[in-house]
Amino acid sequence: MTDLLPADDRLIVAMDVPNALAGLELAKQLGDSVSFYKIGLGMLTGGGLALANELKGEQGKKIFLDMKLFDIGATVEAAVRGLSRYDLDLLTVHGDPHVVTAAKQGAAGKDLKILAVTILTSLDRADLDAALIRDGAVADLVVERAGRAFLAGADGVIASPREAALIRALPEAAGKLIVTRACGPRGAALGDQKRVETPAAALQAGADHLVVGRPIWQAADPQAAAQAILREIAGI
C-alpha cells in the first residue's frame, strides 16, 4: 500500500489475540499505522504485561490496559499501585465511586489515567434486567454513572458512542476523556457489540478515542483495515 496515513492516537487497536507472540506479530503487521494498543483481561495469562512493556518501551507505543478492576477499595488501590509501575497510559476500573477513588489513590504520582466503565457496550436493557440492575433507559444509567465517576476523580470514562454526546454535555465532563468501542469502517460487522457506531459517528458524538478490535486484527490485511479507519477519521 502506498501513501499510508500516519498513526492517529485517537485510534486504539484492541489486541484481542491469544498471546503476546500473536500481539507482537499484529503490531509488526500494523507498523507505523497504529500508535495506541489496548491489552485486555483475556491476554493477561498470555503475557499481556510483557507485551505492554515491549510495545511501550521498545516500540514507543501507548498502552491502554483494560482490566476493568472491581473489588474493595484497599485491593483496588494496591492493584493499581502495582500496575502503575509499568508506565501505562490508560487503565480501566468499574465506575463505582469507591472503586474510582481507590484507583486514583493507587495511581497517585503517576501519569496513568483512570477510566471508569459505565455500562459495557455489549449489554442492552435485557441484559441489565437479567443482572437485576435497576429500571431505566440504558443511556440514562450510563450518564448518571459517568457523572458520579467524574466526581469521584475519574480521568475519563468508557462508554458507547451512542451515549458519548450526553456524557460530553455533563458539566463534570469538562477536560475528561471519553473512550468508546467503535465498529470498523462503514459496513463492518458488529460482532458481539450492541451499542456501537462507525468511527466518524463516534468522534462526532464527542469521543476522544476509538477502540477497534476484530475489524482490524481479523482482517486479511490488518494494516489496510487500520488505514481504512484512519481515512474515515480524517474525513478522506
Side-chain angles (χ1 to χ4, degrees), residues 112-153:
L112 177 63
K113 289 183 169 57
I114 300 299
L115 302 180
V117 175
T118 52
I119 293 175
L120 297 174
T121 54
S122 60
L123 304 182
D124 57 19
R125 185 62 253 181
D127 297 312
L128 300 185
D129 290 341
L132 304 181
I133 303 299
R134 79 176 199 201
D135 291 340
V138 173
D140 293 340
L141 297 179
V142 166
V143 171
E144 184 175 354
R145 281 179 62 80
R148 293 187 182 191
F150 289 143
L151 291 174

Side-chain angles (χ1 to χ4, degrees), residues 32-91:
D32 293 334
S33 293
V34 174
S35 57
F36 217 142
Y37 287 100
K38 181 178 85 72
I39 297 174
L41 191 59
M43 172 77 82
L44 190 61
T45 58
L49 289 178
L51 176 62
N53 283 334
E54 171 74 15
L55 293 174
K56 181 80 175 184
E58 301 300 323
Q59 300 188 29
K61 307 296 185 180
K62 293 184 177 180
I63 299 297
F64 167 17
L65 194 64
D66 188 17
M67 294 288 104
K68 300 182 181 71
L69 299 176
F70 180 82
D71 212 310
I72 63 172
T75 300
V76 170
E77 181 179 350
V80 174
R81 183 175 295 112
L83 290 170
S84 68
R85 296 179 299 178
Y86 288 89
D87 191 28
L88 307 169
D89 297 281
L90 304 176
L91 172 69

Side-chain angles (χ1 to χ4, degrees), residues 150-217:
F150 289 143
L151 291 174
D155 298 297
V157 295
I158 302 291
S160 160
R162 298 185 183 181
E163 289 104 34
L166 297 172
I167 294 172
R168 182 57 69 203
L170 290 171
E172 301 92 333
K176 304 290 187 176
L177 296 174
I178 298 177
V179 180
T180 72
R181 171 73 77 162
C183 60
R186 287 177 293 272
L190 298 182
D192 61 358
Q193 301 298 315
K194 298 177 181 177
R195 297 176 7 257
V196 294
E197 295 289 352
T198 64
L203 291 172
Q204 290 168 3
D208 298 287
H209 296 284
L210 313 172
V211 176
V212 182
R214 293 184 189 91
I216 290 178
W217 65 261

